[in-house]
Amino acid sequence: MIRVLVADDSRVMRQIVVRTLRQAGYDWHVREAENGAQALAAVREDEPDVVLSDWNMPEMTGIELLRALRAEGFETPFGFVTSEGSAEMRETADAAGALFLIAKPFTAESFRDVIEPVLA
Amino acid sequence: MSTAVDTEQVYAVAAAVFAAMIDGDEGLLTPWYGDLPLVEEPLSAWVDLHGELPGRAALVCEAATAHDLTRALLMMEADEEVDDQDLVDAFGEIANVVGGNVKSLLPVQDTLGLPEVAHGHPPAAEGHVAQELRLSWRGQLIVVTIWLVG
C-alpha cells in the first residue's frame, strides 16, 4: 500500500485527486491536509511515501511546504498538482526538489505517467 | 480586445477544464449561438492575477447551472442536494483552474489569488475586458470573462 499525503485547500479538489489516484491504479492509503502548514505537521508526525500538493494555499503555500521539508531534512518524494503549470513554475518546483508537476486539469493517465517512475 | 490571450486559447482552456474535470469527455462545452438569455439568478466565481500583468478570470452562470456543475464535478446524482460549502468550493475551483491556465498563457508570470464566489455578476476588475466567451454547457449558458491591465 502506498501512503500518500494530499494537500489542497479545496476539499473538492482533494476529493478529485484521491478519485484520480484510485483510477490510476495502485492501492493508496490517503491522508489529507488543507494547507502547507497542516501538511508539514502531518509529515513530521508520520512521513508518507509521497506528497501531492497544490501550489497556491492559505497559511503556507506548496512551495513553502517543500522548502520547509527539505530544510528539515525530509527527502519525501514530492509532486505538485496545480492549476498553474508555466515553465517558470516548473523550474522553481524543480529547483526546490519537486519530482514532478501535474497541471490541472488532469487525467488518470497523466497521474500514472508521472507517478509510476517515482514509485518504481 | 487584448492580444495577450486570444479567444481560441481561452476557449481551449475552458474546454480542457470541462472535459477533464467535469464531463470526462470532450464536446459538451461549445460556443453559445443565438441571443443570450437573461441570467435571473447569477452566481459568479473568479480568481485574480497579481503582478506585472494583473487581471481577473471569472465565470458567471445561473445558480442552478453552478449546482449542476458541482454535481458533475463531485459525481453526485442528478437529484442530490448540493450544500453551499461544496457549491462554493467546486465552482471556485473551476474558476481557479481556468484562471491558472489563462495565467500560464501570459508573457509575464506572477501570482494567482485564491478563488472567490458571490451571488450576482462578477465585479469588474481593473483594466479592460480582454476576452468574453459565451459558452453552452449541456445547453446552459456560462460566460467566461478575462480582464487584463495593459
Side-chain angles (χ1 to χ4, degrees):
Chain A
M1 183 171 288
I2 303 154
R3 298 175 314 132
V4 61
L5 176 64
V6 178
D8 198 308
D9 55 315
S10 164
R11 189 187 71 81
V12 166
M13 189 48 70
R14 292 198 304 272
Q15 192 170 325
I16 292 170
V17 168
V18 172
R19 185 171 78 206
T20 309
L21 283 172
R22 301 205 193 287
Q23 288 168 347
Y26 303 104
D27 192 9
W28 299 96
H29 176 265
V30 179
R31 284 187 297 155
E32 299 183 25
E34 293 178 12
N35 56 54
Q38 273 190 14
L40 181 60
V43 175
R44 285 174 181 155
E45 187 183 303
D46 182 15
E47 187 179 4
D49 297 318
V50 60
V51 176
L52 296 177
S53 176
D54 187 17
W55 189 291
N56 199 13
M57 295 182 286
E59 303 277 334
M60 178 186 275
T61 66
I63 193 73
E64 289 167 348
L65 165 65
L66 174 56
R67 288 174 177 148
L69 288 172
R70 295 298 182 257
E72 292 186 19
F74 288 105
E75 293 301 322
T76 324
F78 192 105
F80 284 102
V81 183
T82 172
S83 61
E84 306 167 72
S86 68
E88 193 178 325
M89 291 182 77
R90 288 177 189 277
E91 282 171 23
T92 304
D94 188 50
L99 296 178
F100 55 84
L101 186 151
I102 300 172
K104 301 171 190 172
F106 47 73
T107 62
E109 288 72 30
S110 58
F111 259 75
R112 200 178 300 120
D113 287 348
V114 295
I115 284 180
E116 272 191 6
V118 174
L119 301 177
Chain B
M1 296 243 174
S2 167
T3 54
V5 285
D6 66 35
T7 306
E8 286 72 24
Q9 287 176 313
V10 178
Y11 177 68
V13 163
V17 170
F18 275 67
M21 285 176 64
I22 297 163
D23 297 316
D25 206 356
E26 295 177 354
L28 294 166
L29 187 76
T30 60
W32 181 276
Y33 296 108
D35 296 335
L36 288 183
L38 178 70
V39 181
E40 293 179 349
E41 197 185 336
L43 192 73
S44 304
W46 68 92
V47 63
D48 284 344
L49 291 66
H50 302 289
E52 240 180 276
L53 194 54
R56 174 170 293 163
L59 281 77
V60 62
C61 60
E62 287 286 2
T65 305
H67 280 78
D68 286 345
L69 285 167
T70 303
R71 288 189 192 92
L73 200 59
L74 293 173
M75 295 186 166
M76 296 165 70
E77 298 297 327
D79 58 353
E80 211 172 327
E81 194 167 333
V82 174
D83 68 35
D84 283 349
Q85 196 178 352
D86 281 349
L87 178 70
V88 167
D89 193 351
F91 196 39
E93 194 57 31
I94 296 167
N96 183 41
V97 179
V98 169
N101 279 267
V102 167
K103 174 178 167 282
S104 299
L105 299 171
L106 299 177
V108 181
Q109 294 300 314
D110 285 298
T111 59
L112 197 68
L114 294 171
E116 297 189 53
V117 174
H119 290 285
H121 287 273
E126 281 184 51
H128 63 281
V129 173
Q131 292 294 334
E132 184 182 84
L133 272 68
R134 297 156 178 188
L135 303 170
S136 170
W137 177 65
R138 301 173 186 243
Q140 302 178 77
L141 176 68
I142 297 174
V143 177
V144 175
T145 308
I146 310 295
W147 286 269
L148 289 175
V149 174

